[in-house]
Amino acid sequence: MNRPSIAQPEISQPEPSQPASAQSASAQPGIPRPAGPASPMFISRPAELAAVRELIADPAGRPRALVLTGEAGIGKSTVWSAGVELAREAGWRVLSARGDQTETGLSFAGLTDLLDPVLDEVLDRLSDAQRIALEVAMVRRLPDGGRLGPNEIGNAVAAAIRELARDRPLLLAIDDLPWIDGATVAAFEYALSRLGGEGLRVLATQRTASTLAAAPPAPELLPADDVRSVPVTAIDVTAADELLAERLDLRLPPTTLRGLVEHSGGNPFWILEFGAALRRGDGDRAELPVPTALTDLVRERLGSLPPDARQALVVTAALPQPSPELVIRALSKQADDPIDPIAAVERAVADGVLTVSESQRLRPAHPLLGAAALDALLPLARAGLHRRLAELVEDPEQRARHVMLAAGEPPDAETADRLAAGAEAARGRGAVSGAIELADPAIRFTPPELVSALAQRQVDTAELYYMRGDIEKARELAATAWAAESAEPSVRRRALALLTHTSLYTQGAAAAQKVVDEALAETADDPWLRSLALAFAADFNVASDPPHARRSAVEAIEICDRLGAEADPTALSTALLALVEIDMFAGRGLDRSLVERAGAAQADRRWIPFIERAEVRFGLSVKYVDDLDTSRAVLTRMVRTAQEMGETSATLVLQAHLAYTEVQAGRPGAARAALAAFEDAAREAGPGIGEPASLTVARALLDIMDGDLDGAEAALLAALERLPPIPLVRVIMDTPLATIALLRGDVGQAITLLDGVLEQARAVYVHEPAARGRPEGDLGQALVTAGRLAEAEAVASELAEIGERLGRPTLSGIALRVRGLIAAAQGELDEAAELLTRAVEAHDASPMPIERGRSLLALGQVQRRRKAKTEARQALQDALDCFDSHGHRPFAQLVEAELARGQRAGAGSVLTASEQRVADLVAGGFTNREVAARLSMSVRTVESHVASVFRKLGVRSRTELAGRFPQ
């Protein structure tokens, strides 16, 4: 016969997270051994277990979840444990955790339960950043001084899950999901949203009603469509009779048994407790016991305990992850009522109110029992308990939570200090939400006369809210801290930095500029604050007022230089990066030494948004000075870093610019890969993610390369309707629109658009050709075609000057090409050929092969006019090979037309290398889509090649082509 226990309906098996081989063979002296597997009857739950089997058998590739719901004591955990065993028997790997009300504030307690038993299997397969993130979160190592972001943990969790799911399917089993700590929930929400074909399954329980303690809302780990909820139902009279006989060796008369089932609602917990009360009483078993509510039964159960066992239960219920040693130490600190702590724990286990898990933790035998024990304490006694526990625990976050529960009314400086220390510890581990739970009360408990401490905590908390995505709350806290004029200057500088940044995002540039102006008005005696305000003035005005921005940046840098090692690193790095961009846009080149200096200054900064990192800004800018290889390398590295840190919005921006870089480099396959990566990241991020202008332009340029001029035009015009009227955005959109017009032969429209591009760019001091889409080549060609040679020469002269001054062969080559076209239009064919030959030679050192192809095309056209047929054909063939190898169909078609001029169209035409490869596959029976996949081309490019092959060979069908190319 089993001893009656309040626990048995819910925890009839040991914790599933521990394999059977992990059961302890010995226990420390005086500490109870873990309870072995219980052997009570399992109540048949065919419907619930069928749902578990369906979850395991579900073939869906994406993550799916089953949530077992029901009131406390209904048997959810028993079904859950059985479901875990079913999964294991089916060969699944199971990661399990049990939620606990005392652990909801202990960051990553659930993550540790889930991953700790298996983490060593995958650590060496994770990146260094992912491995460190998990080890810090799970307190396997101390933070190295930096701070983890919440998404870094989530990204590391996703990577670990992918590795764990490689060899067999994976089940996350979470009992009492609403009581899992918030940091773990945030990490898994992020991770699960980024898992695709791993086939992960989640089995969880959720309390829908509680007699003694209300459970918080259950987190939404997966979209509602991927979650199935199944209620765990009441048991009937037959099952109740078997349960009482098995657990309590109790048989009741049928009438009493039916009344008991009706009175308890068929809840196994209630049935056992009523049965236990009957056994304890001396009355007629035909009558139900006097208590009529579960609360009464639980209180009666607690009241019957020896005082020391009850105290052991109280201490255990108040501690997250309580080891027997910690509980014994806490009990030994009770000076008012000394007890034998070891005997107290042993008695509580013997009385069935505590259990020892396989992970060597003490637990209340049922969550309701622990909650009731704490609720029974008077407020002063409960505060005293948490005060003692705060002195025992070593983890700053745990200590802070006990301090918070023991605290009286604010303010209290000591309480505030401990809360702030706990918040800092949680933040260092990437538990942003957990840190906020402590940082907010730290502000409330800080005495108002401690102005600097209060302002510093407001800024610290503002940064936490910013990291969580609540930008408006961050702005409010930063504004409050900034208003504390008597606070330490270093604190106010941090407040100003965050206030300007958040004001820009929530209220616009005008509001941010107002903050900066107000700061400048009061900075006469504070060079640190003045340098910071000037740096932000420069940063905000890079695009709107570059001359003012440059003056501000230069003055800020000069102040920082005078301050030397005492300079504010935020002011220095912000001013340097602003100056780099201002000068780059102005056509002065990119000063890499300033970028390096900004990066060094940022190394001393406490916290910085990812997109503001010097290396990120450099990667975004360096493509505008034609260093596409460096841009690609930096952007690719920063994409990888952003992904590891879970910086989704930064990842999207970087992928967009990487796609644009690859288009400019004539690498359409790599550009499409970056676009696909953007789409994947956007899907993971969910709705609300817009498309950056750089991505729209990259997509349109790819469409142009594929020959889809209509699609490119439609996308650009739609973006112009959608995006705000920013001059530089209009500039980079109108440049490809002009290319489309020129390819269609609409020279007038091309000139109109490109004249507007230059006018708008110059109005905002953008003189760097690459930053305005390099319109000069198209404009020069269009002006020559229109007979406006003097204007074309002016375009070429400006471009030649920049190219020579900055050592930019791309710009020099385009200028030479325009001048070659001018000479040809004037009939100076020898001069034109010489200029175009020099253009081709300049382009040999350029990272933009399409420009080389265009100069070769122009050279071939001039050589034909000079009657130099061999040279003309060679230049044109080289141009065609260039356009084919880099996937630019419209230009390739222009070359083909030149080559076909004067020749008989048909079988005598020579196929290009790309056309030959396509023809061979088509003749072999492959579809256009299959050919595209094999040759890494777009389907549209294959279609264009097929049409060209048909025209050159004079065939009309794929069958006819197959006859020309026997396999």
Side-chain angles (χ1 to χ4, degrees), residues 896-940:
E896 289 169 353
E898 285 291 331
L899 285 169
R901 186 179 299 172
Q903 299 179 4
R904 180 179 62 87
S909 298
V910 178
L911 300 182
T912 67
S914 295
E915 289 170 346
Q916 187 66 55
R917 290 194 296 270
V918 171
D920 287 340
L921 291 173
V922 170
F926 290 92
T927 66
N928 288 354
R929 188 171 298 278
E930 291 169 338
V931 172
R934 281 175 170 258
L935 299 182
S936 299
M937 297 177 177
S938 71
V939 175
R940 188 176 295 276

Side-chain angles (χ1 to χ4, degrees), residues 404-485:
M404 184 166 57
L405 292 170
E409 291 296 318
D412 183 295
E414 183 179 355
T415 297
D417 288 344
R418 289 195 169 191
L419 291 172
E424 181 67 17
R427 177 176 177 173
R429 296 168 60 202
V432 171
S433 294
I436 289 174
E437 291 173 3
L438 296 172
D440 276 336
I443 292 174
R444 290 198 305 273
F445 275 92
T446 302
E449 61 269 19
L450 300 180
V451 177
S452 288
L454 180 58
Q456 177 170 320
R457 283 164 187 165
Q458 288 164 339
V459 176
D460 289 343
T461 309
E463 289 180 357
L464 290 168
Y465 276 105
Y466 182 95
M467 294 171 71
R468 197 170 74 175
D470 191 342
I471 310 300
E472 177 56 29
K473 180 65 174 178
R475 189 198 65 79
E476 292 173 1
L477 285 165
T480 304
W482 168 246
E485 297 182 2

Side-chain angles (χ1 to χ4, degrees), residues 399-622:
R399 184 182 302 120
R401 294 187 183 280
H402 285 300
V403 166
M404 184 166 57
L405 292 170
E409 291 296 318
D412 183 295
E414 183 179 355
T415 297
D417 288 344
R418 289 195 169 191
L419 291 172
E424 181 67 17
R427 177 176 177 173
R429 296 168 60 202
V432 171
S433 294
I436 289 174
E437 291 173 3
L438 296 172
D440 276 336
I443 292 174
R444 290 198 305 273
F445 275 92
T446 302
E449 61 269 19
L450 300 180
V451 177
S452 288
L454 180 58
Q456 177 170 320
R457 283 164 187 165
Q458 288 164 339
V459 176
D460 289 343
T461 309
E463 289 180 357
L464 290 168
Y465 276 105
Y466 182 95
M467 294 171 71
R468 197 170 74 175
D470 191 342
I471 310 300
E472 177 56 29
K473 180 65 174 178
R475 189 198 65 79
E476 292 173 1
L477 285 165
T480 304
W482 168 246
E485 297 182 2
S486 59
E488 288 290 332
S490 60
V491 175
R492 293 198 74 216
R493 291 198 295 272
R494 287 181 59 208
L496 176 62
L498 194 55
L499 178 58
T500 52
H501 191 80
T502 53
S503 295
L504 180 66
Y505 279 97
T506 60
Q507 299 178 342
Q513 186 61 52
K514 182 180 178 182
V515 173
V516 169
D517 291 341
E518 291 174 352
L520 285 171
E522 63 170 87
T523 59
D525 300 326
D526 187 342
W528 291 273
L529 196 57
R530 181 167 182 80
S531 66
L532 192 63
L534 286 166
F536 288 133
D539 194 42
F540 295 153
N541 289 287
V542 166
S544 59
D545 190 352
H548 171 65
R550 195 175 196 281
R551 289 192 298 272
S552 299
V554 169
E555 183 181 350
I557 294 168
E558 290 173 348
I559 294 173
C560 290
D561 288 342
R562 290 196 296 271
L563 294 172
E566 300 300 317
D568 185 277
T570 300
L572 181 58
S573 61
T574 302
L576 287 167
L577 292 175
L579 183 59
V580 167
E581 291 188 4
I582 293 164
D583 283 350
M584 183 273 293
F585 282 124
R588 301 187 186 98
L590 194 150
D591 191 334
R592 300 178 191 225
S593 67
L594 296 184
V595 177
E596 292 173 2
R597 188 180 174 194
Q602 286 185 348
D604 295 329
R605 290 179 61 173
R606 175 184 173 92
W607 170 78
I608 181 172
F610 188 88
I611 204 67
E612 299 299 326
R613 290 185 174 193
E615 189 172 11
V616 172
R617 297 275 287 269
F618 175 63
L620 297 176
S621 298
V622 72

